[in-house]
mmCIF file of all heavy atoms in Angstrom:
data_model
loop_
_atom_site.group_PDB
_atom_site.id
_atom_site.type_symbol
_atom_site.label_atom_id
_atom_site.label_comp_id
_atom_site.label_asym_id
_atom_site.label_seq_id
_atom_site.Cartn_x
_atom_site.Cartn_y
_atom_site.Cartn_z
ATOM 1 N N PRO O 49 109.320 120.253 100.974
ATOM 2 C CA PRO O 49 110.340 119.353 100.436
ATOM 3 C C PRO O 49 110.442 118.062 101.239
ATOM 4 O O PRO O 49 109.921 117.996 102.380
ATOM 5 C CB PRO O 49 111.636 120.152 100.520
ATOM 6 C CG PRO O 49 111.333 121.383 101.318
ATOM 7 C CD PRO O 49 109.861 121.494 101.515
ATOM 8 N N GLY O 76 88.127 118.179 119.344
ATOM 9 C CA GLY O 76 87.971 119.105 120.470
ATOM 10 C C GLY O 76 88.534 118.622 121.804
ATOM 11 O O GLY O 76 88.446 119.311 122.808
ATOM 12 N N VAL O 100 97.804 95.527 102.236
ATOM 13 C CA VAL O 100 96.621 94.828 101.739
ATOM 14 C C VAL O 100 96.613 93.470 102.370
ATOM 15 O O VAL O 100 97.663 92.806 102.444
ATOM 16 C CB VAL O 100 96.725 94.671 100.188
ATOM 17 C CG1 VAL O 100 95.592 93.838 99.655
ATOM 18 C CG2 VAL O 100 96.743 96.035 99.525
ATOM 19 N N SER O 141 83.898 104.139 108.751
ATOM 20 C CA SER O 141 83.061 105.147 109.428
ATOM 21 C C SER O 141 83.928 106.279 110.007
ATOM 22 O O SER O 141 83.418 107.217 110.554
ATOM 23 C CB SER O 141 82.278 104.485 110.556
ATOM 24 O OG SER O 141 83.223 103.914 111.428
ATOM 25 N N GLU O 143 85.871 109.553 110.674
ATOM 26 C CA GLU O 143 85.532 110.925 110.188
ATOM 27 C C GLU O 143 86.741 111.669 109.673
ATOM 28 O O GLU O 143 86.616 112.652 108.971
ATOM 29 C CB GLU O 143 84.896 111.730 111.312
ATOM 30 C CG GLU O 143 83.518 111.201 111.710
ATOM 31 C CD GLU O 143 83.119 111.664 113.098
ATOM 32 O OE1 GLU O 143 83.291 112.859 113.412
ATOM 33 O OE2 GLU O 143 82.643 110.820 113.881
ATOM 34 N N VAL O 177 95.907 115.863 103.983
ATOM 35 C CA VAL O 177 96.730 115.224 102.977
ATOM 36 C C VAL O 177 98.145 115.775 103.000
ATOM 37 O O VAL O 177 98.340 116.988 103.079
ATOM 38 C CB VAL O 177 96.076 115.354 101.570
ATOM 39 C CG1 VAL O 177 95.772 116.781 101.237
ATOM 40 C CG2 VAL O 177 96.935 114.720 100.480
ATOM 41 N N ASP O 210 101.925 134.047 96.260
ATOM 42 C CA ASP O 210 102.286 135.450 96.471
ATOM 43 C C ASP O 210 103.167 135.662 97.690
ATOM 44 O O ASP O 210 103.961 136.589 97.726
ATOM 45 C CB ASP O 210 101.005 136.288 96.630
ATOM 46 C CG ASP O 210 100.235 136.419 95.313
ATOM 47 O OD1 ASP O 210 100.872 136.231 94.267
ATOM 48 O OD2 ASP O 210 99.016 136.684 95.366
ATOM 49 N N VAL O 212 104.822 133.074 99.938
ATOM 50 C CA VAL O 212 105.842 132.134 100.483
ATOM 51 C C VAL O 212 106.808 131.742 99.366
ATOM 52 O O VAL O 212 106.458 130.962 98.474
ATOM 53 C CB VAL O 212 105.157 130.873 101.078
ATOM 54 C CG1 VAL O 212 106.198 129.908 101.611
ATOM 55 C CG2 VAL O 212 104.209 131.248 102.182
ATOM 56 N N TYR O 215 107.136 128.060 98.494
ATOM 57 C CA TYR O 215 105.979 127.525 97.754
ATOM 58 C C TYR O 215 106.051 127.907 96.299
ATOM 59 O O TYR O 215 105.798 127.125 95.411
ATOM 60 C CB TYR O 215 104.674 128.001 98.406
ATOM 61 C CG TYR O 215 103.426 127.304 97.895
ATOM 62 C CD1 TYR O 215 103.019 126.127 98.451
ATOM 63 C CD2 TYR O 215 102.695 127.817 96.836
ATOM 64 C CE1 TYR O 215 101.902 125.426 98.002
ATOM 65 C CE2 TYR O 215 101.567 127.156 96.356
ATOM 66 C CZ TYR O 215 101.173 125.942 96.942
ATOM 67 O OH TYR O 215 100.071 125.308 96.472
#
Side-chain angles (χ1 to χ4, degrees):
V100 174
S141 59
E143 290 160 47
V177 54
D210 290 338
V212 180
Y215 191 86

